[in-house]
């Protein structure tokens, strides 16, 4: 099939179905090329039509703290003093790039979580 920019939900659904049919295409085949194109077209349609809510980085950090069973004092080596940790977790102080890097590594989070926070 000759694929074009996906403009309707019907186009999107057809492309998604076809993508799933050829998802395990053998590399360097026409189906593999078609799969690459479909992935780009579907991603483009998603970005134009489906807006995911932005993550609240503080909520993510608090969730990870709860999940790992750690307390605010455990973040002092990463963020700084008790006052700094408190100010960050309460939203009174911004997360710096250096803090974001350390938090990303500590919590094993994707960097994208911190993109809008620094």
């Amino acid at each position: 099939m000759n694929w074009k920019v996906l403009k309707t939900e019907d186009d999107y659904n057809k492309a998604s179905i076809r993508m799933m049919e050829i998802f395990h295409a053998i590399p360097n085949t026409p189906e593999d090329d078609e799969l690459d194109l479909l992935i780009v077209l579907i991603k483009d349609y998603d970005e134009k039509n489906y807006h995911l809510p932005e993550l609240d980085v503080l909520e993510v950090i608090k969730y990870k703290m709860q999940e790992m069973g750690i307390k605010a004092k455990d973040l002092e080596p990463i963020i700084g003093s008790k006052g700094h940790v408190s100010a960050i977790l309460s939203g009174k102080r911004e997360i710096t790039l250096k803090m974001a890097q350390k938090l990303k590594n500590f919590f094993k989070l994707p960097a994208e979580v911190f993109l809008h926070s620094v």
Side-chain angles (χ1 to χ4, degrees):
M1 180 172 194
N2 291 329
W3 292 102
K4 297 179 184 176
V5 173
L6 306 177
K7 296 182 180 177
T8 67
E9 191 76 21
D10 189 50
D11 292 342
Y12 177 81
N13 290 334
K14 287 176 185 174
S16 297
I17 290 168
R18 178 63 179 154
M19 181 185 70
M20 295 310 294
E21 291 172 353
I22 62 172
F23 194 75
H24 296 289
I26 297 168
N28 302 315
T29 63
E31 281 188 338
D32 186 46
D33 292 339
E34 182 183 7
L35 177 62
D36 289 343
L37 177 60
L38 286 171
I39 290 170
V40 170
L41 293 173
I42 290 169
K43 182 178 182 219
D44 177 65
Y45 187 88
D46 282 341
E47 288 174 354
K48 289 178 182 174
N49 295 284
Y50 301 111
H51 301 284
L52 297 175
E54 288 186 23
L55 291 174
D56 179 346
V57 70
L58 293 179
E59 292 304 315
V60 172
I61 290 170
K62 290 173 186 176
Y63 175 81
K64 291 299 283 184
M65 288 172 66
Q66 182 180 8
E67 181 182 72
M68 296 170 69
I70 64 173
K71 305 230 181 284
K73 67 178 179 174
D74 299 316
L75 296 180
E76 289 177 22
I78 297 164
I79 294 177
S81 70
K82 180 179 179 180
H84 276 85
V85 172
S86 177
I88 293 291
L89 293 178
S90 68
K92 293 178 182 173
R93 191 166 190 181
E94 296 292 319
I95 296 173
T96 66
L97 182 57
K98 189 173 249 179
M99 283 180 210
Q101 290 171 326
K102 290 179 181 179
L103 289 165
K104 174 186 85 69
N105 294 334
F106 181 77
F107 288 120
K108 296 177 177 57
L109 291 168
E112 292 79 22
V113 170
F114 297 95
L115 283 178
H116 298 287
S117 68
V118 292

